[in-house]
Amino acid sequence: MTSTQNPESYLNRNVVDDAGNKIGSVGQVYLDDQTGQPDWITVNTGLFGMKESFVPLQGASFNGEDISVPFGKDVVKDAPHISDASHLDADEQDELFRYYQQYTGGGSRTVTETTETTGTTGTTERVTGRETVGHDTSGPTTDDAMTRSEEQLHVGTERVEAGRARLRKYVVTEQQTVTVPVTREEVRIEREPITEANRGEALAGGDITEEEHEVILHEERPVVTTEAVPVERVRLGTETVTEQQTVTGQVRKEQIELDGDTVNEDHTTVNEDRNLNR
């Protein structure tokens, strides 16, 4: 399959074998760490599609709306299980390739190198997995290449309790001064002259007597009462504030060095110690 396909173009497609029989549907797409191109997909198989199996895209092709792979459903379902499917490391990929190679007649990956010598171009094909060049000095012969790995720093967030806030209502007493108008009665003496109109009332009593007149005086006094009335509603709320924090962590990585003798064009031997890290 062409390695320049957009990863999203694989999603939501059915995966079929060479005969067009459905194997399952694409679950996830995995990209090559070096090229950034789709390299593996997972296929949801089993009852209700609950089982997820890895399938290489090497040798796969688009067949209409489906993706055709050179493996049967039983082969895909029995592929090695990867416990942590968030990322495929080199060992996990090697295990999967060894499994699928037994159903593709070798199925090894090829690396093509182009060199130019005296104006002519030659092509050298290097096939991995068929012939071992050299041997592992730390153990039995395993592979013709050394895998260099390094750790990557993954930073996430977790929600933790940072504090608590509560509302508490209590009573305070304060003095208030209010001016209120009050009325009161005062005694006022009213005098009127004797006229023809009131002469009869004036002569109705004795000539010289002792009398008393009484009047009741009234006044208003302030009366203070209180009434509880609602004035506002208060509640607690939260708001999210985003800030940037710098996180520092230590990661380890492997380094590979070439330690040995190399031969120059003039066939002189040079002892060389080169760092092969990318």
Side-chain angles (χ1 to χ4, degrees), residues 31-270:
L31 307 182
D32 186 275
D33 290 339
Q34 304 299 326
T35 65
Q37 297 300 323
D39 199 17
W40 293 85
I41 59 173
T42 60
V43 180
N44 296 323
T45 61
L47 185 62
F48 305 114
M50 299 299 292
K51 180 177 175 58
E52 196 172 35
S53 302
F54 281 87
V55 179
L57 287 175
Q58 182 180 0
S61 61
F62 284 109
N63 184 7
E65 294 297 323
D66 301 331
I67 299 176
S68 177
V69 297
F71 310 106
K73 184 173 184 178
D74 292 339
V75 174
V76 174
K77 289 176 60 177
D78 294 338
H81 174 69
I82 304 301
S83 58
D84 182 9
S86 60
H87 180 268
L88 279 178
D89 58 29
D91 292 338
E92 292 169 337
Q93 292 190 62
D94 289 342
E95 180 184 5
L96 289 168
F97 268 117
R98 285 194 298 269
Y99 170 78
Y100 280 107
Q101 283 174 4
Q102 60 185 325
Y103 300 101
T104 58
S108 57
R109 291 176 289 178
T110 62
V111 178
T112 302
E113 300 174 351
T114 302
T115 60
E116 294 186 3
T117 305
T118 63
T120 61
T121 300
T123 300
T124 302
E125 184 177 73
R126 179 169 58 88
V127 181
T128 63
R130 292 185 177 178
E131 181 181 357
T132 301
V133 179
H135 63 279
D136 188 349
T137 58
S138 61
T141 300
T142 55
D143 199 355
D144 64 346
M146 181 181 295
T147 300
R148 187 179 70 87
S149 303
E150 64 182 28
E151 295 178 337
Q152 295 180 347
L153 194 63
H154 297 280
V155 180
T157 61
E158 64 175 343
R159 189 179 181 90
V160 298
E161 183 176 307
R164 294 190 180 186
R166 62 172 59 91
L167 285 178
R168 181 171 60 89
K169 184 172 70 172
Y170 58 94
V171 178
V172 296
T173 302
E174 62 179 10
Q175 297 291 335
Q176 288 188 355
T177 301
V178 179
T179 301
V180 58
V182 294
T183 61
R184 59 186 174 87
E185 297 177 341
E186 295 182 349
V187 175
R188 182 178 72 244
I189 297 177
E190 298 179 353
R191 300 175 186 273
E192 61 182 19
I194 302 300
T195 63
E196 292 296 331
N198 62 12
R199 182 178 294 276
E201 295 179 354
L203 297 177
D207 293 335
I208 303 297
T209 60
E210 292 184 358
E211 294 183 8
E212 289 185 0
H213 276 226
E214 182 181 81
V215 64
I216 298 176
L217 302 177
H218 296 87
E219 67 177 9
E220 293 179 340
R221 293 182 179 178
V223 178
V224 179
T225 60
T226 60
E227 176 187 6
V229 295
V231 293
E232 66 177 350
R233 296 276 291 168
V234 181
R235 63 172 56 87
L236 286 176
T238 61
E239 62 178 3
T240 301
V241 179
T242 302
E243 62 181 8
Q244 299 293 331
Q245 291 189 356
T246 301
V247 179
T248 303
Q250 292 183 342
V251 296
R252 299 176 303 166
K253 65 179 181 179
E254 299 172 342
Q255 295 184 346
I256 299 175
E257 292 182 349
L258 173 61
D259 186 7
D261 296 335
T262 61
V263 180
N264 290 334
E265 294 181 355
D266 57 358
H267 301 287
T268 59
T269 301
V270 178

